[in-house]
Amino acid sequence: MNEELRKDIEAVLNLFVRPQLSNHGGDIEVVDLDEDGILWIEMLGECSGCPSADDTARNLVQKELVTRIPQIRGVEVDSGISDEIIEEAMKLFTHRSKKQ
């Protein structure tokens, strides 16, 4: 992601998203923009781990960014858990389920 695009994203977040998140003790950090136009974000503060984080990403963050920045096609929350960790957890869960 180039510096100009990052500045545009941050401007939209600062004007339209962060004020609403801060009302709930939360914030947002841009992680990456992938080749498909998906902006990966991390929810911070009270928004981190909130059951509504995915809804907030879709209904607030994605709505504001997709309508204002044409390079962004969608928004996803980066949970900070790698695919490898999820795969290992699924193996453990499956292994345990078979024993019972």
Side-chain angles (χ1 to χ4, degrees):
M1 165 179 8
N2 67 43
E3 194 60 33
E4 185 175 325
L5 179 56
R6 181 173 286 279
K7 285 180 183 178
D8 290 345
I9 292 168
E10 289 295 332
V12 170
L13 293 175
N14 288 337
L15 287 170
F16 302 104
V17 176
R18 284 193 171 105
Q20 292 187 52
L21 295 179
S22 69
N23 287 337
H24 299 275
D27 198 1
I28 188 172
E29 180 178 316
V30 173
V31 175
D32 191 25
L33 178 65
D34 70 21
E35 63 276 354
D36 296 322
I38 304 301
L39 184 72
W40 290 87
I41 60 169
E42 183 178 351
M43 304 300 281
L44 304 173
E46 293 297 316
C47 293
S48 175
C50 173
S52 299
D54 288 334
D55 290 336
T56 300
R58 273 190 306 279
N59 298 327
L60 173 63
V61 182
Q62 180 171 285
K63 178 183 159 221
E64 296 296 344
L65 288 169
V66 168
T67 58
R68 290 178 166 79
I69 301 176
Q71 295 93 322
I72 298 177
R73 296 185 148 168
V75 173
E76 293 287 338
V77 176
D78 184 345
S79 65
I81 301 172
S82 71
D83 290 340
E84 293 82 20
I85 292 173
I86 292 172
E87 186 177 320
E88 287 299 314
M90 291 305 293
K91 285 179 188 174
L92 289 171
F93 179 74
T94 304
H95 180 71
R96 274 195 150 151
S97 295
K98 289 178 182 177
K99 283 184 173 181
Q100 296 177 354

